[in-house]
Structures are given as C-alpha cells and as structure tokens.
Amino acid sequence: MSLSRRNTSALTTGIALIAAVSLLIGCGPQRVAGNAIPFGGLDPATVAGLPVTHGPSGPLAGAPPIDFTYENGDNGEMDQIAMSAVADLYLYWADEYPDTFGGMPFEPVARLASYHAEESPIMICGMDTGGVPNAFYCPPEDAIAWDRGVLMPMLDQQFGPMAVVTVLAHEMGHAVQYKSGNMTADMPTILAEQQADCYAGGYFRYIADGNSPYFEVSTGEGLNAILAALFSIRDQAGTDFRGPQAHGNAFDRTTAFIFGFSDGASRCAEMDVPEMQERITQLEFAPSDDSGELEVNEQHVALVEQSLAEVFAEELDEAPRLDLSGTTCGETEPAAYCVDGNSIGLDMPELAAIGTPPTPGGDPAAAGIGDFAAFAEIASRYTMAVQEQAGLSLKGPSAGLRTACLTGSWAGMLMPNRSTDTTSYGGLRISPGDLDEAVAELLGEDSLIAADVDGASVPSGFARVEAFQVGFEEGSDPCTERFGD
C-alpha cells in the first residue's frame, strides 16, 4: 500500500519459474457433482455449485493406458503424471472444443517432449532447453515440452501432483488458442496468459465433476493447492504488464482460473482486450516508490481507518472506534470487532509482524505477508460494523464470505483510476503486490479476511478469493445482496 498516487497498468506463452511461495497446501475427496454457478453467484456451502470436499487429490488408480508417445522421456513419476495429464486433456477438449468453437473437432498436438534442464536438454522450437526450467507450447512445431528435472519436481514437492497437471493444462490452453484462431498477431501477451489460465480452470471443473478417468481433485484443500501454485508462479511485484514474459500477478491469475472453473471454456474464449483492460490489476512501481510497503504503525493505521470511514460512510450510522491497546473484548487475533461498544481491538505488534514482507535470502519463518495483508485484516473487522448496522448476522459462512466481499470492495476503491475521487480514502492507494498479499492471506489456514466475527474462516480458499474478487470488481452492493442470512 502506498501514500503516493499511481496509474493502473494492465498485463501476458509458457509457465515461467519465478519465486515459489509456501502457503498452506493439502490433499483432499472428490468425484463430486453439482450445478455450475457463474462467477459471483456465490453459495457459502459450495464451490461454484460443487460441495466442499476433503480427500485425495492426484492420479487415480486403474487409469486407462496411454496409446501415444513422447520424446526424450525417462518414464519417471513426473513424465507419467505429464502424459496422464495430456491424455486427459485430449479427452476433455475432444468434448469441449466443438461446443466452444462452432463444432470444429479438436486435433491433438503434433509433438510432445520431456527434458531435464540440467541433465538431458533437447533442441525444440529452435531453442536449447539446457538450464531452462520451464514448460511451454511452441506454435511453429505444434509442440508441448516440459522440464521433468527441475520445474515439475519443485511444483510437485510444494503443491502436490495436481500442480504439474495445472502447468500442462495451461500449455494445452495455448495450443487451443492457436488451433482455434483465438490467438492473433496483435493479442497482448497478458491476454494470452490469462486466457490459458482460464482454460485450465475449465479443465479442472471437469476433474472436480468426477468426469476424469485419470485424476481426482478435492474442492477444499485440492483447489486451494492449485490456487497456491498459481500464486507461486506469479509475476514479481512491479513487473511491466507489457513485457513479453509477463504472466500476471496472483490476483489476476486466480481470477482467470476461477472464471474458467465457474463458467467453462466458452467464458475463456470470450476474453478480449477491452475486458482485460477493465479487469487487470497489475501495477508498475512509480519512480518515487521504494517497496510499496508501509510500516504498520499508529500513523498508517489511522489512515486506514480514515479510508474505511470514507468508503463505508453511506452504510454506517456510526463508525466503529479503533482501540490500539489490544483485542481484549473480541474472539479473534490480531484484530477483533466488539459488538458492545462498536469498537475494534488491535494487537499492533502482531499486525506489524503480519505486515513484515518476506525478503530475498531472509528467514521465511520470521516474515509475515506484507502491509496490505495486515491492513486488510483490520478492514475485515471494520466491515463487521457495516454488517451489524445493516441487521445482518455476524456468524457463519455467509458472514465470512460477506466479510471477504466487503473487504474487497474497500480495496477496489483504493485502486488507482477506479475510485471517482482520487484525493479521498485516506490518501491511500493500492500498490504493486498488495492484491497478491490479499490472495496469500485468503489462502492461509485461518484467513481473517474471510472469517466471521468469531474467526471461523470459510473452508474453501477458492470461495474466499472469489468473494473478495466480487467485492473488488463490483463494489459493496453485491456483498449484502448475495450473502443473505
């Protein structure tokens, strides 16, 4: 978050290995069915119309044999998962492609290749893959290649085997773009990348619906892990969205994936430049910026309080009072809403710890998330006053999603060029990396941003992120309208 003003920027064929960020990952049951609910049509008991499930996520036993070949493989675990993913994607697109693209049949890619970036590189698409831990689609050769030695094992170790499947689903999405004619010479890289993330989301809905003979994924911890994997391969804060290697920040990548999961491949095919320019949130640092991180102290908390009071002025008869001496009257840490007295207790040392961002080479255990995560936790408790004065229940999953949505609506008003009055809201502005910090907090084990007054978090990280995004994109009205008691 920043005190300075910024201009919005917008964002990017391949998955680039950036920096892996550890979040809570888990395994989770599957083979569930439900009715698809479009993005924003949230039900706190489901994930886009599917029940929240907990159980295994990964390859299914007894999967069908694979009757096509690939180059340079070692038939190890990573190659087996990759080939199962390709076989499954062929099945998915054989059905989905004609429905999405006017009855045209889907044609499998011409070439599949595995390599080890350190020990067994290959020449493909005019490139030597030695020292290139990546996965990519090559349009001239209609080829998909993946690094089985560095990239895939890293993703599997941190996020589980379905992260490997996510990478292949993304690259197959690029193949679909070219085969369908979706990809044009002037398509911005960021749009191509967001569309491929969206196509991956559509494929994972097929798995979650129990239609895959090769994989299963839970809608609880399993989808949380997929979103965390997308988080780990986000662009670094401040990346120029116009760059040829830009893929998008975590907020925009997870949004695109959720679109596909909720609305299907047809929603992805509709993505275009105007839609992207309206939705994209990736920012560049202004010349006067340092890190875009504010110290979590009394002065800056006062500005956050001012911004919240101004954003929710129409919803509040009486603004809650902030008490910086601790959380003695509430049930949650490090911020608690006290119904009696309409106040918010804050544990400033704990908030400061959350607001301390990780540093390169630093001790991950000693770092928090970043300033926006801490300020958004304060905002989440502030929205309790909004809900209380609207006569809404402060307990249960609906209250948790409503809280995430209202916190997102506050964040949306701080986005440069989104608010109508650029001089108000405490003089604060969203800065590069802030929304990624929100995603990190929302995917945490006990997200306060998506918790009710007692701190009970909505079980699904997917639903938490989507609720925040709805508020960010559409403002506060949908939050109270869609999440009734």
Side-chain angles (χ1 to χ4, degrees), residues 36-62:
I37 295 180
F39 175 80
L42 289 167
D43 175 351
T46 71
V47 176
L50 296 176
V52 179
T53 58
H54 307 279
S57 291
L60 285 169

Side-chain angles (χ1 to χ4, degrees), residues 84-135:
S84 293
V86 171
D88 202 34
L89 284 157
Y90 283 172
L91 293 175
Y92 169 73
W93 282 112
D95 287 337
E96 195 68 33
Y97 193 91
D99 292 340
T100 304
F101 301 108
M104 293 190 297
F106 175 72
E107 295 292 337
V109 298
R111 184 182 179 189
L112 298 166
S114 168
Y115 68 92
H116 191 303
E118 296 176 348
E119 299 175 3
S120 180
I122 58 173
M123 288 294 299
I124 186 170
C125 210
M127 178 182 69
D128 182 352
T129 60
V132 182
N134 205 350

Side-chain angles (χ1 to χ4, degrees), residues 3 84 264 297-298 316 323 341 371 373 400 472:
L3 301 176
S84 293
N297 56 28
E298 292 187 18
L316 288 171
D323 177 1
D371 65 342
F472 185 88

Side-chain angles (χ1 to χ4, degrees), residues 156-224:
D156 177 51
Q157 182 178 11
Q158 289 207 329
F159 307 111
M162 298 309 283
V164 176
V165 179
T166 305
V167 168
L168 272 300
H170 176 97
E171 300 311 325
M172 193 66 74
H174 286 309
V176 167
Q177 290 171 330
Y178 280 91
K179 291 173 182 293
S180 66
N182 249 183
M183 178 65 74
T184 59
D186 60 349
M187 177 181 277
T189 306
I190 179 57
L191 177 54
E193 297 303 330
Q194 297 286 286
Q195 193 174 66
D197 286 337
C198 185
Y199 284 139
Y203 166 66
F204 268 88
R205 178 56 185 248
Y206 151 90
I207 299 176
D209 278 334
N211 294 324
S212 169
Y214 290 94
F215 299 103
E216 59 184 342
V217 65
S218 74
T219 57
E221 295 90 341
L223 283 181
N224 287 4

Side-chain angles (χ1 to χ4, degrees), residues 387-471:
Q387 297 174 67
E388 169 70 11
Q389 293 181 35
L392 298 167
S393 172
L394 304 186
K395 296 186 178 184
S398 290
L401 287 183
R402 194 162 53 235
T403 298
C405 185
L406 287 167
T407 305
S409 73
W410 164 73
M413 295 304 292
L414 302 183
M415 186 73 183
N417 296 347
R418 289 208 175 192
S419 62
T420 56
D421 181 355
T422 57
T423 63
S424 65
Y425 308 124
L428 296 176
R429 285 290 175 265
I430 294 289
S431 64
D434 280 349
L435 294 176
D436 289 356
E437 292 171 8
V439 172
E441 202 279 354
L442 286 161
L443 293 177
E445 183 175 6
D446 298 310
S447 169
L448 194 59
I449 295 176
D452 69 6
V453 71
D454 294 331
S457 299
V458 176
S460 165
F462 183 104
R464 298 175 196 168
V465 173
E466 185 176 2
F468 183 93
Q469 290 167 336
V470 168

Side-chain angles (χ1 to χ4, degrees), residues 129-300:
T129 60
V132 182
N134 205 350
F136 54 89
Y137 173 67
C138 172
E141 298 181 9
D142 190 25
I144 290 177
W146 60 88
D147 166 33
R148 67 175 182 271
V150 181
L151 175 64
M152 298 306 200
M154 182 276 290
L155 291 172
D156 177 51
Q157 182 178 11
Q158 289 207 329
F159 307 111
M162 298 309 283
V164 176
V165 179
T166 305
V167 168
L168 272 300
H170 176 97
E171 300 311 325
M172 193 66 74
H174 286 309
V176 167
Q177 290 171 330
Y178 280 91
K179 291 173 182 293
S180 66
N182 249 183
M183 178 65 74
T184 59
D186 60 349
M187 177 181 277
T189 306
I190 179 57
L191 177 54
E193 297 303 330
Q194 297 286 286
Q195 193 174 66
D197 286 337
C198 185
Y199 284 139
Y203 166 66
F204 268 88
R205 178 56 185 248
Y206 151 90
I207 299 176
D209 278 334
N211 294 324
S212 169
Y214 290 94
F215 299 103
E216 59 184 342
V217 65
S218 74
T219 57
E221 295 90 341
L223 283 181
N224 287 4
I226 300 306
L227 296 183
L230 288 174
F231 184 101
S232 77
I233 48 181
R234 73 199 186 280
D235 287 341
Q236 293 177 320
T239 297
D240 186 346
F241 73 95
R242 296 160 295 191
Q245 299 302 319
H247 280 65
N249 62 16
F251 187 77
D252 294 333
R253 297 200 72 170
T254 55
T255 296
F257 181 93
I258 289 171
F259 281 163
F261 190 93
S262 300
D263 300 344
S266 60
R267 169 66 176 87
C268 312
E270 294 170 357
M271 287 184 171
D272 57 18
V273 172
E275 184 268 352
M276 177 201 72
Q277 290 176 335
E278 182 178 354
R279 175 177 54 82
I280 219 73
T281 65
Q282 183 151 322
L283 303 171
E284 297 174 70
F285 286 114
S288 59
D289 291 337
D290 293 322
S291 64
E293 295 286 334
L294 295 179
E295 182 180 353
V296 181
N297 56 28
E298 292 187 18
Q299 174 190 357
H300 294 143

